Amino acid sequence: MKVFIEPIGRLINEFTKLPGVGSKTAQRFAYKIINMSEEEATAFAESIINAKKQVKYCKVCGNFSEGETCDICKERTGDTICVVKEPKDVIALEKAHEYSGVYHVLHGTLNPLEGIGPNEIRIKELLARISQGGVNEVIMATNPDVEGEATAMYIASLLKPLGIKVTRLAHGIAVGTDIEYADVSSLSRAIADRRDM
Amino acid sequence: MKVFIEPIGRLINEFTKLPGVGSKTAQRFAYKIINMSEEEATAFAESIINAKKQVKYCKVCGNFSEGETCDICKERTGDTICVVKEPKDVIALEKAHEYSGVYHVLHGTLNPLEGIGPNEIRIKELLARISQGGVNEVIMATNPDVEGEATAMYIASLLKPLGIKVTRLAHGIAVGTDIEYADVSSLSRAIADRRDM
């Protein structure tokens, strides 16, 4: 005899597709759904379908958008472009409330081992935006890992000959981290990139 | 400007309703949904609606069931009844592959402080099953907490005058736990309930 009846087994299986969710957690999620009212469960299911249907990508910057162009591209001037790997990086940067320019989402980073070259990510779209003029600075905000660094350097090498100022997000000791516990990579970046005071 | 566009914000909000899911985890889940294919996302949403629609409770034992009567009640003889708090306890016990009798799900335990008395849980349904005859033993498998113990003792006090053998799941040191690290309650139960060898 199977342990779970089919609809519960199927629901548990679907939940295990979420990142970091094993079978025990998926079971707890499934029980929660079964204990919801019919309206709550329907609202949950609809929010999944709606998110999938309504979330598009901005044709200018590649960010999440409900319409053809995202709110950021509509409302801000484009003299500074911040280049990120994924739409969720835009959300993280927006939460910092420090940047008021526009974005460009690459939807990936260069990764020759996995066959991801310059044509597989949105680099030519970035060049096209810049060729329209009015861009003073491009901030490279790809992750500080091998692929992110390589991508930042590659794009910088394309933009510098065009006379565009290219900058990179500062890396160093995370705010709130004791020097004692900072990881080696962050510490060495913090020393190398030290600034006058 | 809001950080999340509406369909993503709504999806994140729905995910935070799951047990143990905070806003960061809910964000990760939402990004995963958005990166799914339309078919995958639809299958996910449908599994939620189907689970809610198709999962009923067995009219005999109160366990999860697709039909009026669950597979366990259909396939097994009812001379031993194992009494549990919730349907998920049936699943946990079934996974142990040690018990081959039927179950009775109370859908709660006695909790006077929250106004849950004998009429609020499925005790009279249990008595009705037993009054039909053929039951030799009732195993009380409610949780070893205050409410679970009180419920087990209350039901035992009702059944013993009827000449029914009432037993309780053994509590003690969990298998695989070092005595050094066992909690005090489990250790004291293990000593009190020690058995001949």
Side-chain angles (χ1 to χ4, degrees):
Chain A
M1 180 176 299
K2 58 193 191 310
V3 172
F4 296 107
I5 60 174
E6 196 274 335
I8 299 182
R10 193 181 144 202
L11 182 57
I12 291 173
N13 183 42
E14 289 292 336
F15 274 126
T16 57
K17 293 177 183 168
L18 296 175
V21 175
S23 61
K24 283 260 177 184
T25 307
Q27 267 182 56
R28 289 174 60 213
F29 290 174
Y31 296 145
K32 175 72 187 185
I33 296 286
I34 291 163
N35 284 328
M36 281 179 175
S37 71
E38 189 131 352
E39 294 75 47
E40 284 177 301
T42 307
F44 201 128
E46 278 174 357
S47 75
I48 291 174
I49 290 180
N50 283 344
K52 190 62 213 165
K53 270 194 196 150
Q54 295 172 8
V55 176
K56 301 180 182 70
Y57 296 103
C58 171
K59 64 173 183 179
V60 179
C61 73
N63 185 20
F64 291 137
S65 177
E66 288 180 273
E68 283 224 314
T69 313
C70 74
D71 288 352
I72 294 175
C73 285
K74 273 183 207 156
E75 293 171 18
R76 298 186 188 170
T77 53
D79 55 348
T80 309
I81 299 179
C82 180
V83 177
V84 296
K85 182 186 179 190
E86 293 178 272
K88 56 191 180 189
D89 298 326
V90 173
I91 293 169
L93 285 161
E94 282 297 292
K95 282 185 177 172
H97 296 292
E98 180 69 30
Y99 178 67
S100 55
V102 294
Y103 293 89
H104 188 84
V105 184
L106 294 173
H107 286 277
T109 39
L110 298 176
N111 192 336
L113 290 176
E114 293 186 4
I116 301 173
N119 292 324
E120 274 67 51
I121 60 178
R122 299 178 70 253
I123 291 180
K124 54 185 179 303
E125 287 86 345
L126 175 64
L127 297 175
R129 282 176 79 177
I130 289 167
S131 70
Q132 290 169 12
V135 179
N136 298 324
E137 182 180 352
V138 171
I139 304 174
M140 296 305 310
T142 49
N143 290 325
D145 53 18
V146 176
E147 293 80 17
E149 292 290 357
T151 308
M153 288 205 287
Y154 177 78
I155 293 175
S157 73
L158 295 178
L159 299 184
K160 277 182 183 165
L162 305 176
I164 307 277
K165 181 182 176 191
V166 184
T167 55
R168 180 98 175 95
L169 281 196
H171 294 109
I173 308 164
V175 177
T177 305
D178 281 2
I179 290 175
E180 181 182 358
Y181 300 117
D183 63 296
V184 177
S185 315
S186 301
L187 260 183
S188 56
R189 285 292 287 263
I191 296 166
D193 296 350
R194 67 191 179 279
R195 58 185 185 76
D196 292 326
M197 29 179 318
Chain B
M1 180 176 298
K2 59 193 188 310
V3 172
F4 297 107
I5 60 175
E6 196 274 335
I8 299 181
R10 192 181 144 199
L11 183 57
I12 291 173
N13 183 42
E14 290 292 335
F15 274 126
T16 56
K17 293 176 183 169
L18 295 176
V21 175
S23 61
K24 282 261 176 183
T25 307
Q27 267 182 56
R28 290 174 59 214
F29 290 174
Y31 296 145
K32 173 73 188 184
I33 296 288
I34 291 163
N35 284 327
M36 282 180 174
S37 70
E38 189 131 352
E39 293 76 48
E40 284 177 301
T42 307
F44 200 127
E46 279 174 355
S47 74
I48 291 174
I49 290 179
N50 283 344
K52 191 62 212 163
K53 270 194 196 150
Q54 294 172 8
V55 177
K56 301 179 182 71
Y57 297 103
C58 171
K59 64 173 181 177
V60 179
C61 73
N63 185 21
F64 290 138
S65 177
E66 286 180 273
E68 283 225 314
T69 313
C70 74
D71 289 352
I72 293 176
C73 285
K74 273 183 205 155
E75 293 170 19
R76 298 185 189 171
T77 53
D79 55 347
T80 309
I81 299 179
C82 179
V83 177
V84 297
K85 182 185 180 191
E86 293 179 272
K88 57 190 180 189
D89 299 326
V90 173
I91 293 169
L93 286 161
E94 282 297 293
K95 282 184 175 171
H97 295 294
E98 180 69 30
Y99 178 68
S100 55
V102 295
Y103 292 89
H104 189 83
V105 184
L106 295 172
H107 287 278
T109 39
L110 297 176
N111 193 335
L113 290 178
E114 294 186 5
I116 302 173
N119 292 324
E120 275 68 50
I121 60 178
R122 298 180 68 254
I123 291 180
K124 53 185 180 302
E125 288 86 345
L126 175 64
L127 296 175
R129 283 176 78 179
I130 290 167
S131 69
Q132 289 168 13
V135 179
N136 298 325
E137 182 179 352
V138 171
I139 304 173
M140 295 307 309
T142 49
N143 289 324
D145 52 18
V146 176
E147 292 82 16
E149 293 290 357
T151 308
M153 288 205 286
Y154 177 78
I155 293 176
S157 73
L158 295 178
L159 300 185
K160 277 182 183 165
L162 306 176
I164 306 278
K165 181 181 176 190
V166 185
T167 56
R168 181 95 174 99
L169 281 196
H171 295 109
I173 307 164
V175 178
T177 304
D178 282 3
I179 289 176
E180 181 182 358
Y181 300 116
D183 63 294
V184 176
S185 314
S186 301
L187 260 184
S188 55
R189 284 295 286 263
I191 296 167
D193 297 349
R194 68 190 180 279
R195 58 185 184 76
D196 292 327
M197 19 177 332

